Amino acid sequence: MQLYNLEFTEEEIREAARANRLLSMEIEFSRACNFRCAYCYVADKSGGSDELSRDEIRDVILQAKDLGARKIIILGGEPSIYPHLAEMLRFLGRQGLEIEMFTNGTGIDPELAAVLAEERVRVVLKLNSRDEAVQDRLAGRQGAYAIMTEALAILREAGYPSNDLFLAISTVICRQNIDELPAMWQWLRREGIEPYFEIITPQANALENSWLMVDATELKELFERLAAIDREQFGRHWEPQPPLVGNRCMRHQVSCVVTATGDVMPCVGVTIPLGNIRREPLASILGNSEVISNLKNYRETIKGECHDCSKAAECYGCRGAAYQLTGDYLASDPTCWRNVSGGKS
């Protein structure tokens, strides 16, 4: 099975965790966004005057590089409408860092697509449905499907996807799209586009929109069906395991998030500020954090069904779901179907 971020091997992750080093860092350039996605982890998408300056962003990226990070993952807000995006992409490129960017496609025009291709940015488009009405509803904006379709066409013109230009589609699994996801998975595989399908982390907007939710049994059935499609049609073999389809999240071993205001968090789901890069170096924040230490030592610290699960040696569930639903980032993952069945399935 592949691991979170796809490129890092299990041995690289173990070595980085032992040495208290990073392999990647996720960062928000701004929280400003023109969509209002029903499942978004960011409650306030207006941006603000207290957001990091370009100099502050560059500085924390260099700090992450000094800690061993090879990859920077740009989150949002919506990065493609950030006014200094091209400048920051070129800075990352000059540092020899791999770049991945999650985007709703709004700002992707031929000029930006050329920069993305030049810097070999791994582009992840957020498309939750091939049904226009469903996509627009989930994005909270009429015309969202059209924006995404145009962005995809522009990226294709720029050479995506290819061996050098990685393209993925990020999709949250919800009640409105679950029936179409097997066909969507097959379409993406045939197009050479990597599917990033994941269970919704129940936080912020998603907590207010219970109509999105899918129960654990349905999730298990979907994961197993997608695994069968990959095995039988595409020669890819992986074991179904939440929260990511065909992938395994080990981000807490080798990554962190820096928000648009400088707070450092374990991930977008474990919304515990560990410190702020305006007041303390990144290495000090991570090195002195009890939360980070507990997450790295998950085999000893995680509780309940997740601790006793037959997959405990290689999985810690979704720490974000555990934190958002129980208030304890070390609690058993309430959204995992293995917990529903006692860790046996």
Side-chain angles (χ1 to χ4, degrees):
M1 179 182 285
Q2 294 170 316
L3 299 173
Y4 166 72
N5 285 345
L6 305 178
E7 309 95 308
F8 305 134
T9 67
E10 197 161 359
E11 181 57 31
E12 285 176 321
I13 289 173
R14 280 198 299 266
E15 289 180 0
R18 279 196 298 265
N20 288 320
R21 297 181 68 79
L22 295 174
L23 289 177
S24 68
M25 182 179 74
E26 302 173 41
I27 188 167
E28 301 169 347
F29 289 166
S30 172
R31 286 201 161 181
C33 186
N34 59 324
F35 282 16
R36 293 295 180 266
C37 296
Y39 53 86
C40 187
Y41 75 92
V42 179
D44 179 12
K45 307 169 194 64
S46 60
S49 58
D50 61 339
E51 292 190 335
L52 298 176
S53 68
R54 281 171 285 171
D55 285 342
E56 288 173 319
I57 291 171
R58 282 189 284 260
D59 181 67
V60 74
I61 287 169
L62 292 176
Q63 291 183 53
K65 183 182 177 182
D66 287 343
L67 287 172
R70 307 199 309 250
K71 176 178 179 180
I72 300 297
I73 303 162
I74 306 169
L75 307 176
E78 173 45 45
S80 71
I81 64 173
Y82 178 64
H84 313 293
L85 178 62
E87 174 188 340
M88 301 311 295
L89 293 177
R90 292 191 173 103
F91 168 76
L92 289 164
R94 289 195 301 273
Q95 298 303 316
L97 292 163
E98 186 172 20
I99 313 163
E100 185 162 288
M101 184 180 79
F102 284 73
T103 175
N104 65 32
T106 297
I108 295 181
D109 56 19
E111 183 179 0
L112 178 56
V115 176
L116 294 170
E118 180 184 348
E119 300 298 342
R120 296 188 178 184
V121 176
R122 295 164 59 95
V123 178
V124 185
L125 288 173
K126 300 174 185 176
L127 178 66
N128 294 299
S129 175
R130 299 181 73 193
D131 180 302
E132 183 171 3
V134 173
Q135 171 62 25
D136 286 2
R137 183 187 183 198
L138 293 173
R141 170 171 173 165
Q142 188 173 1
Y145 179 82
I147 289 171
M148 184 64 63
T149 302
E150 182 179 6
L152 183 56
I154 291 170
L155 288 167
R156 288 187 188 279
E157 285 294 318
Y160 286 88
S162 69
N163 290 336
D164 293 328
L165 300 177
F166 176 93
L167 180 62
I169 292 291
S170 174
T171 304
V172 295
I173 302 166
C174 62
R175 173 63 51 207
Q176 289 65 40
N177 67 8
I178 191 168
D179 290 338
E180 70 173 289
L181 293 184
M184 187 171 172
W185 186 276
Q186 292 169 297
W187 168 66
L188 292 170
R189 284 286 192 233
R190 288 193 296 267
E191 295 293 319
I193 301 172
E194 191 70 24
Y196 280 12
F197 287 15
E198 65 178 309
I199 298 172
I200 291 176
T201 302
Q203 67 186 103
N205 289 8
L207 280 177
E208 300 176 5
N209 296 314
S210 58
W211 47 270
L212 294 166
M213 298 307 172
V214 178
D215 68 42
T217 300
E218 292 173 289
L219 290 169
K220 179 175 182 287
E221 291 172 354
L222 175 66
F223 274 60
E224 290 176 344
R225 185 173 178 188
L226 296 178
I229 288 171
D230 256 4
R231 183 175 62 251
E232 296 165 8
Q233 299 181 27
F234 302 101
R236 300 186 182 214
H237 298 267
W238 47 271
E239 184 176 353
Q241 177 176 305
L244 310 175
V245 181
N247 201 345
R248 183 147 59 94
C249 174
M250 299 296 287
R251 57 167 41 96
H252 296 119
Q253 303 296 293
V254 295
S255 191
C256 67
V257 174
V258 177
T259 72
T261 54
D263 285 335
V264 179
M265 302 189 301
C267 71
V268 297
V270 182
T271 50
I272 302 173
L274 310 175
N276 191 287
I277 58 107
R278 285 170 164 157
R279 296 187 290 271
E280 189 177 357
L282 183 62
S284 176
I285 293 171
L286 298 176
N288 295 325
S289 170
E290 180 182 4
V291 175
I292 292 295
S293 177
N294 286 338
L295 288 168
K296 286 189 175 182
N297 295 316
Y298 67 95
R299 294 182 70 176
E300 289 76 39
T301 57
I302 286 181
K303 308 167 186 175
E305 294 93 337
C306 277
H307 181 272
D308 299 328
C309 179
S310 60
K311 300 295 180 183
E314 60 195 45
C315 174
Y316 44 56
C318 179
R319 296 297 90 216
Y323 180 67
Q324 296 297 329
L325 290 176
T326 73
D328 183 354
Y329 66 95
L330 297 173
S332 183
D333 177 0
T335 66
C336 177
W337 64 77
R338 294 187 186 278
N339 294 337
V340 174
S341 56
K344 299 176 183 178
S345 61

